[in-house]
Amino acid sequence: MNRNSFRYWVWLIGLFILFAVPTWGASQPSMALLAINNYSGVDKVSGGKLVRLVDEEFAKAVKKQAEIRFIDEEATANLLKNKGLDSYYEAANLCTNRDYSRMTTRIGVDQLAILEINGYSEIRREKSKKAFQLLLGLRLIAKDGSETYYSGEGFSEGKPEAAFTNSMTQLLSNCFGVGSTDFNAGNIRSFDAPVLGNRASKVYHLLDTHHGPQESVRENFNSRTEAEQRGYRPCPICFPDYKSFDYADRALEESLGAEGCGTIEYYYRVEQNPQLIAWLERVAAPLFKVSYRKNVDFKFRILDTKEVNAFCSPNGYIYVTKGLIDIVESDSEMAMVIAHEMGHLEKKHAVIRYRQAITAAFLASIFIAVNNNNNNNQAANVLAVVMAELVLRGYSRDQENEADEVAVAHLKQAGLDYRVYHTLMGRFIDMRQAKITAINKIFATHPAPEKRIENLDQFLQSYDKLQAQLDTGF
């Protein structure tokens, strides 16, 4: 090769590196992890904080996908901060997909990811054995504002790490169509599970059920994916639509809820008033549509007392007192009350309080006895103590503030007057100044209304700041 020929090839290779390599990088779609929302009610597991463990496992798993450029939560936070968009973290509950779409453009990514921990359970088997369950959800919001939602469920009868690996594998398999081995093969949630289709109804079922299709209309599929590609939909009995955990966590909520209802109805008389119930259902209808929890059957009951209060039991029963109904003057005010109570359930505040309680010294011995002796009476005592505490003394100040923020977000999403809290809290302030005793329970179990107004004002100001930053580009 002569010198001129050599220079030519060097020049050609240089051009290739200069232009081709950036093109490859540009064609690789990017995913930025915006947040990890823990709806499980579990803070710590044996290996450390649940959120941290899930975060590490998710980052490790996604980074193995060659077709995606992954930006972890810390790096995403830095991108937002550098673009002046860090007020997102104070206003997250209010953000819409349009907001997320604009954020992707500003920080230069293709999609934002919000990871959800929808359930974690450690289930005691015979003797000292345990089984572990983890349910994850993943929201992906693209530049055009479109959203897709994926789920992954992990189960292990050995070590908790296996449940983490299994849930992550299934989540990414559903999300990216990963062709690697599905560790959940045989699990009813797995998209690799074989199913039977009903050609008449276009519904597919598990293989071993009592309601499967007749042989004349039966069609065999090697996987759920194959069935759905052929236009079939899952049977809601075989494959319930969980957006929240429906195994041990949901059973715990039902148990807590039954105890909560019993406690409330022990102290107060329930009034049978179909007209008021119908009004509450009408007011709540748009709120139910925007609720985070899609598998909860909310129901209303009226309490015959002049006390001004409301309470949501973890099983979905919302109690409203006659005293509260008497002082509200608009549907929006009542919607604020209902959405606040829904917020407690959506954020699993009762489950969190229960799990905090069983770690306390005065309940730990009872809990150990329950697990070792399977004594139903002792288990009932644990539930009774926790729910009596919530009914009589209320949630923590932080949980009350969080429920307020969920309420404002729901009202805004539903197109209702989300600033109505000024009027509602103003009523509570005036009742306190007039020394009307019916309001005492609210003040005993909730932050001062002035503080609640201040917190919600700051919440909305953070969202307004985010909007201004998105509008101006600074």
Side-chain angles (χ1 to χ4, degrees), residues 154-390:
F155 181 84
S156 170
E157 291 187 336
K159 296 182 179 180
E161 292 82 4
F164 279 69
T165 301
N166 293 350
S167 61
M168 207 65 68
T169 299
Q170 190 184 100
L171 180 70
L172 297 185
S173 177
N174 294 338
C175 179
F176 298 117
V178 178
S180 59
T181 301
D182 183 353
F183 292 99
N184 276 321
N187 183 300
I188 66 168
R189 281 288 209 281
S190 172
F191 275 78
D192 285 347
V195 292
L196 294 175
N198 185 326
R199 285 194 295 268
S201 64
K202 287 293 183 179
V203 173
Y204 65 81
H205 303 262
L206 289 171
L207 300 183
D208 186 18
T209 70
H210 294 92
H211 64 280
Q214 298 294 322
E215 190 170 352
S216 59
V217 294
R218 184 184 303 167
E219 186 169 5
N220 293 294
F221 294 105
N222 294 320
S223 68
R224 294 178 61 190
T225 300
E226 183 183 346
E228 294 191 5
Q229 287 174 345
R230 293 280 299 279
Y232 284 74
R233 62 182 176 85
C235 166
I237 299 172
C238 298
F239 306 95
D241 182 19
Y242 304 127
K243 183 125 185 217
S244 304
F245 212 35
D246 203 51
Y247 293 159
D249 271 20
R250 192 65 192 132
L252 175 58
E253 285 186 300
E254 289 295 334
S255 298
L256 288 167
E259 189 63 45
C261 290
T263 302
I264 293 169
E265 294 180 27
Y266 174 81
Y267 288 102
Y268 301 97
R269 186 174 74 87
V270 175
E271 178 179 302
Q272 303 303 321
N273 194 320
Q275 290 78 19
L276 283 179
I277 295 294
W279 172 58
L280 293 174
E281 290 174 343
R282 178 178 61 77
V283 170
L287 302 173
F288 294 158
K289 292 180 180 178
V290 298
S291 171
Y292 304 147
R293 301 286 297 276
K294 303 301 183 185
N295 63 338
V296 176
D297 185 17
F298 289 101
K299 296 183 183 300
F300 291 97
R301 286 181 176 172
I302 309 296
L303 298 179
D304 186 15
T305 173
K306 291 186 179 297
E307 284 185 13
V308 175
N309 213 346
F311 186 86
C312 182
S313 196
N315 56 358
Y317 279 86
I318 299 178
Y319 291 85
V320 183
T321 67
K322 288 288 294 296
L324 178 59
I325 291 172
D326 288 342
I327 70 164
V328 299
E329 296 183 16
S330 70
D331 288 0
S332 293
E333 289 180 26
M334 183 53 71
M336 178 70 192
V337 171
I338 294 171
H340 173 93
E341 299 306 326
M342 290 170 59
H344 285 305
L345 187 143
E346 291 177 5
K347 295 295 185 178
K348 293 193 174 182
H349 287 162
V351 172
I352 293 169
R353 286 290 293 273
Y354 173 80
R355 290 200 163 108
Q356 290 171 341
I358 62 176
T359 63
F362 75 100
L363 282 177
S365 60
I366 297 177
F367 183 68
I368 293 170
V370 168
N371 281 286
N372 289 343
N373 301 328
N374 196 29
N375 188 315
N376 291 331
N377 290 331
Q378 289 176 319
N381 288 339
V382 176
L383 295 172
V385 169
V386 172
M387 292 313 299
E389 179 83 6
L390 291 180

Side-chain angles (χ1 to χ4, degrees), residues 80 84-95 103 401-402 405-406 408-409 455-466 469:
L80 291 176
L85 301 175
D86 46 328
S87 56
Y88 159 76
Y89 294 101
E90 288 77 43
N93 281 330
L94 284 167
C95 286
M103 287 166 64
N401 286 334
E402 187 173 38
E405 292 180 6
V406 170
V408 168
N455 178 68
L456 290 175
D457 282 347
Q458 291 176 352
F459 179 51
L460 290 171
Q461 286 167 11
S462 295
Y463 184 69
D464 290 341
K465 180 181 177 182
L466 178 65
Q469 292 165 331

Side-chain angles (χ1 to χ4, degrees), residues 94 330 332-333 336 404 407-413 415-426 453 456-465 467:
L94 284 167
S330 70
S332 293
E333 289 180 26
M336 178 70 192
D404 274 347
V408 168
H410 280 358
L411 263 66
K412 185 176 185 296
Q413 291 163 352
L416 303 175
D417 179 8
Y418 58 91
R419 297 184 185 273
V420 73
Y421 63 87
H422 280 278
T423 305
L424 185 63
M425 301 300 167
I453 291 173
L456 290 175
D457 282 347
Q458 291 176 352
F459 179 51
L460 290 171
Q461 286 167 11
S462 295
Y463 184 69
D464 290 341
K465 180 181 177 182
Q467 294 301 300

